[in-house]
Amino acid sequence: MTIGAVGAVLALTGSASPLRGPFALFFLFSAPASAIAAALRGLDPYGRVLASVAGAVVVDMLVAQGMLAVHRWSTNGGIVAVAVISGLTALSVFMRHMRRRTTADKGV
Protein backbone atom coordinates (compact mmCIF):
# COMPACT_ATOMS: atom_id res chain seq x y z
CA MET A 1 0.00 0.00 0.00
CA THR A 2 2.99 2.26 0.48
CA ILE A 3 3.70 2.19 -3.25
CA GLY A 4 0.15 3.34 -3.89
CA ALA A 5 0.42 6.19 -1.41
CA VAL A 6 3.70 7.30 -2.99
CA GLY A 7 2.04 7.15 -6.42
CA ALA A 8 -0.86 9.29 -5.25
CA VAL A 9 1.50 11.86 -3.75
CA LEU A 10 3.68 11.92 -6.88
CA ALA A 11 0.62 12.39 -9.10
CA LEU A 12 -0.94 15.08 -6.92
CA THR A 13 2.27 17.06 -6.68
CA GLY A 14 2.96 16.86 -10.42
CA SER A 15 6.34 15.22 -10.02
CA ALA A 16 8.39 14.49 -13.13
CA SER A 17 9.53 11.13 -11.77
CA PRO A 18 9.33 8.18 -14.18
CA LEU A 19 7.70 6.18 -11.38
CA ARG A 20 4.74 8.56 -11.16
CA GLY A 21 2.60 6.76 -13.75
CA PRO A 22 3.06 3.15 -12.61
CA PHE A 23 2.76 4.03 -8.93
CA ALA A 24 -0.37 6.13 -9.52
CA LEU A 25 -1.95 3.27 -11.47
CA PHE A 26 -1.08 0.95 -8.61
CA PHE A 27 -2.84 3.33 -6.23
CA LEU A 28 -5.92 3.53 -8.44
CA PHE A 29 -6.10 -0.25 -8.43
CA SER A 30 -5.03 -1.14 -4.89
CA ALA A 31 -6.92 1.45 -2.83
CA PRO A 32 -10.45 0.39 -3.81
CA ALA A 33 -9.44 -3.29 -3.97
CA SER A 34 -8.15 -3.31 -0.40
CA ALA A 35 -11.17 -1.41 0.91
CA ILE A 36 -13.57 -3.79 -0.80
CA ALA A 37 -11.60 -6.83 0.37
CA ALA A 38 -11.91 -5.58 3.95
CA ALA A 39 -15.68 -5.29 3.50
CA LEU A 40 -15.94 -8.86 2.20
CA ARG A 41 -14.44 -10.51 5.23
CA GLY A 42 -16.84 -13.49 5.16
CA LEU A 43 -15.88 -14.81 1.72
CA ASP A 44 -13.24 -17.44 1.06
CA PRO A 45 -9.88 -15.99 -0.04
CA TYR A 46 -10.25 -16.62 -3.77
CA GLY A 47 -13.74 -15.18 -3.88
CA ARG A 48 -12.56 -12.16 -1.95
CA VAL A 49 -9.70 -11.52 -4.35
CA LEU A 50 -11.93 -11.88 -7.38
CA ALA A 51 -14.67 -9.66 -5.98
CA SER A 52 -12.25 -6.98 -4.78
CA VAL A 53 -10.44 -6.85 -8.13
CA ALA A 54 -13.74 -6.57 -9.99
CA GLY A 55 -14.94 -3.94 -7.52
CA ALA A 56 -11.76 -1.90 -7.96
CA VAL A 57 -12.23 -1.88 -11.73
CA VAL A 58 -15.87 -0.85 -11.29
CA VAL A 59 -14.98 2.00 -8.91
CA ASP A 60 -12.30 3.30 -11.26
CA MET A 61 -14.59 3.11 -14.29
CA LEU A 62 -17.50 4.78 -12.49
CA VAL A 63 -15.27 7.63 -11.32
CA ALA A 64 -13.92 8.11 -14.83
CA GLN A 65 -17.39 7.93 -16.40
CA GLY A 66 -18.86 10.35 -13.86
CA MET A 67 -16.08 12.86 -14.35
CA LEU A 68 -16.38 12.66 -18.13
CA ALA A 69 -20.17 13.01 -17.96
CA VAL A 70 -19.95 16.29 -16.05
CA HIS A 71 -16.99 17.54 -18.13
CA ARG A 72 -14.69 17.77 -15.10
CA TRP A 73 -11.99 15.28 -16.06
CA SER A 74 -8.60 15.69 -14.38
CA THR A 75 -5.97 13.29 -13.17
CA ASN A 76 -5.82 14.86 -9.74
CA GLY A 77 -9.60 14.82 -9.43
CA GLY A 78 -9.73 11.14 -10.33
CA ILE A 79 -7.10 10.24 -7.76
CA VAL A 80 -8.85 12.26 -5.07
CA ALA A 81 -12.25 10.78 -5.94
CA VAL A 82 -10.94 7.21 -5.80
CA ALA A 83 -9.17 7.98 -2.52
CA VAL A 84 -12.35 9.41 -1.00
CA ILE A 85 -14.50 6.48 -2.12
CA SER A 86 -11.93 3.97 -0.85
CA GLY A 87 -11.55 5.83 2.41
CA LEU A 88 -15.29 5.97 3.00
CA THR A 89 -15.59 2.26 2.26
CA ALA A 90 -12.78 1.44 4.69
CA LEU A 91 -14.27 3.80 7.28
CA SER A 92 -17.67 2.09 7.05
CA VAL A 93 -15.99 -1.30 7.57
CA PHE A 94 -14.11 0.08 10.58
CA MET A 95 -17.26 1.60 12.08
CA ARG A 96 -19.19 -1.65 11.59
CA HIS A 97 -16.37 -3.54 13.30
CA MET A 98 -16.32 -1.12 16.22
CA ARG A 99 -20.09 -1.31 16.62
CA ARG A 100 -19.98 -5.12 16.75
CA ARG A 101 -17.14 -4.98 19.24
CA THR A 102 -19.06 -2.56 21.46
CA THR A 103 -22.20 -4.69 21.47
CA ALA A 104 -20.15 -7.83 22.17
CA ASP A 105 -18.52 -6.11 25.16
CA LYS A 106 -21.94 -5.28 26.61
CA GLY A 107 -23.05 -8.91 26.32
CA VAL A 108 -25.93 -8.18 23.95
Side-chain angles (χ1 to χ4, degrees), residues 5-63:
V6 169
V9 169
L10 287 175
L12 291 174
T13 59
S15 173
S17 171
L19 297 175
R20 175 181 147 188
F23 283 10
L25 286 175
F26 185 78
F27 171 78
L28 289 172
F29 182 73
S30 66
S34 61
I36 292 170
L40 300 174
R41 202 170 294 194
L43 290 179
D44 65 278
Y46 295 119
R48 231 169 124 179
V49 168
L50 183 64
S52 64
V53 167
V57 171
V58 167
V59 167
D60 290 339
M61 292 298 121
L62 285 175
V63 166

Side-chain angles (χ1 to χ4, degrees), residues 68-82:
L68 288 172
V70 297
H71 304 289
R72 297 285 183 205
W73 174 253
S74 73
T75 305
N76 290 347
I79 289 174
V80 169
V82 169

